[in-house]
Amino acid sequence: MMSSIYSSFTWKRNINAKRLFTLAVIISTLAVLFFVKVFQSTIVNVAWNDIHDGHPSSNSVTTDWDNLLDSTTLTGAQIMQYLKWSNRPSCQLVNDFGGTMRTNPSGWDGQKSVCLDPEVAPIPDQCLVYSFGIKNEWSFDEQMSAYGCQVYAFDPSMAGQDHYDHNPGNVHFFKWGLGERDQHDADYNWTIRSLSSIYEELSGRQFHGRRIIDYLKIDVEFDEWIALPEIITSGMLSNVRQLAMEVHMDFEASLDQHRQWAKLLRSIETMGMIRFDSEYNPWYVGSFVQIPLEGPLGYEIAWYNGNLSHVNTNNNKR
């Protein structure tokens, strides 16, 4: 009898222990799942806020570009790393406009990245585009026109008529080059003007006014390094919503010269221009003379102005 009672007690104790163990496992699993969910939600929210509040992506968190570019041990490879940094998560929807198909290697050359996130996207029938550097290749300008923008195109090197409207009619061409000041280039017989001077003159035109430049394209074969400081000091950068620029490296220039160019680009990022794309030019590569380095000599880089998102005033600053 005692043996039967003992066996029954032991069996019940084992059953209770198993139930308690199972319950503990269930509770532990639920707790783990809860904390994982909270952690994932936090990470997603942080990432989303970083993207839409204009904070740098994880790429820049792990790389302190300012200290890197100031470092006494800076290398050419590190400068190239900075130029190649795309920071692509900063824009959720990137579309390429323009470009021509090339071979060896096969691909599209001259495309310009446009961020179409609602906070910074050009608004059709309200947008203003400046395009410097045409070379009789109108694909970007025509596509931005088809998108619904008024496009002002500039190139002093093109033969033919000055100040005319290119088909389909809302592309307006001027034989002006982009530089640090208004001047006449006697060597090429070109008219060179600063961005601020051009903007002031064109602001009186219909459909232009004193609008924000929704997209500024600069492809001017090394003269970007001359024009960009004036764009900064004149305050025109604060009037640009998106900027796309082909930047050129000089295979004969020193490491310090390339450092200064990289720091100039970095300066606009510290002023609020948020990089969202960078693509190297595979048809423009070479060996650097003063730097033990071989690689791309040109990069297509695009930014949007974090200070101009979610703005809405009467002068078209949305």
Side-chain angles (χ1 to χ4, degrees), residues 20-315:
L20 289 173
F21 176 77
T22 301
L23 182 61
V25 169
I26 292 173
I27 293 173
S28 299
T29 302
L30 290 175
V32 168
L33 290 174
F34 172 78
F35 285 112
V36 166
K37 186 66 176 179
V38 170
F39 177 76
Q40 288 178 333
S41 176
T42 302
I43 293 298
V44 168
N45 288 335
V46 169
W48 182 258
N49 291 334
D50 281 353
I51 290 169
H52 289 276
D53 291 345
H55 297 301
S57 74
S58 58
N59 283 339
S60 63
V61 171
T62 57
T63 304
D64 187 338
W65 297 119
D66 298 306
N67 284 336
L68 178 70
L69 295 175
D70 282 333
S71 172
T72 57
T73 60
L74 179 71
T75 66
Q78 289 174 320
I79 291 179
M80 188 176 293
Q81 177 191 8
Y82 167 68
L83 295 173
K84 286 182 177 180
W85 168 55
S86 68
N87 199 28
R88 178 55 74 89
S90 61
C91 178
Q92 295 294 283
L93 181 58
V94 178
N95 275 15
D96 291 329
F97 285 69
T100 56
M101 178 59 72
R102 294 187 61 178
T103 57
N104 299 320
S106 295
W108 286 92
D109 181 25
Q111 289 186 310
K112 307 301 177 185
S113 296
V114 181
C115 181
L116 296 182
D117 285 358
E119 295 86 352
V120 294
I123 296 179
D125 300 322
Q126 298 182 32
C127 46
L128 177 64
V129 172
Y130 275 24
S131 174
F132 288 93
I134 311 300
K135 297 182 182 177
N136 294 299
E137 206 288 279
W138 295 94
S139 60
F140 168 80
D141 311 272
E142 291 169 352
Q143 288 182 23
M144 292 305 296
S145 168
Y147 178 89
C149 298
Q150 291 290 325
V151 181
Y152 288 82
F154 309 89
D155 194 322
S157 69
M158 290 170 53
Q161 183 182 358
D162 187 15
H163 297 192
Y164 71 93
D165 290 342
H166 176 78
N167 288 333
N170 56 337
V171 178
H172 318 288
F173 176 73
F174 297 83
K175 292 181 68 172
W176 298 339
L178 182 64
E180 61 184 340
R181 65 182 186 277
D182 291 0
Q183 61 181 317
H184 177 256
D185 187 327
D187 293 335
Y188 295 97
N189 194 28
W190 290 352
T191 297
I192 306 298
R193 303 191 61 176
S194 68
L195 181 64
S196 57
S197 173
I198 292 172
Y199 183 84
E200 286 301 319
E201 178 162 336
L202 296 182
S203 62
R205 292 174 61 102
Q206 187 180 13
F207 305 120
H208 188 299
R210 306 199 67 83
R211 293 172 177 261
I212 290 292
I213 301 174
D214 289 276
Y215 200 91
L216 171 61
K217 184 207 86 175
I218 300 176
D219 187 353
V220 292
E221 308 303 322
F222 283 98
D223 283 343
E224 67 271 13
W225 304 124
I226 297 174
L228 186 55
E230 191 278 336
I231 294 173
I232 296 171
T233 57
S234 67
M236 281 301 299
L237 189 65
S238 64
N239 209 37
V240 174
R241 197 178 308 281
Q242 294 192 44
L243 168 65
M245 185 162 55
E246 182 175 27
V247 301
H248 300 80
M249 302 293 100
D250 185 346
F251 73 97
E252 295 182 318
S254 66
L255 176 65
D256 189 60
Q257 176 63 78
H258 286 96
R259 181 205 301 266
Q260 295 308 313
W261 285 336
K263 291 181 72 171
L264 180 60
L265 298 181
R266 184 60 186 159
S267 72
I268 71 172
E269 291 167 351
T270 59
M271 294 171 65
M273 299 301 291
I274 299 171
R275 189 185 301 204
F276 64 88
D277 194 32
S278 179
E279 300 176 6
Y280 73 89
N281 188 335
W283 301 281
Y284 184 37
V285 297
S287 299
F288 293 82
V289 175
Q290 299 190 50
I291 309 171
L293 184 67
E294 183 173 342
L297 296 169
Y299 299 82
E300 296 275 4
I301 306 179
W303 301 262
Y304 64 79
N305 193 332
N307 298 319
L308 290 181
S309 58
H310 305 293
V311 181
N312 187 10
T313 63
N314 293 329
N315 64 347

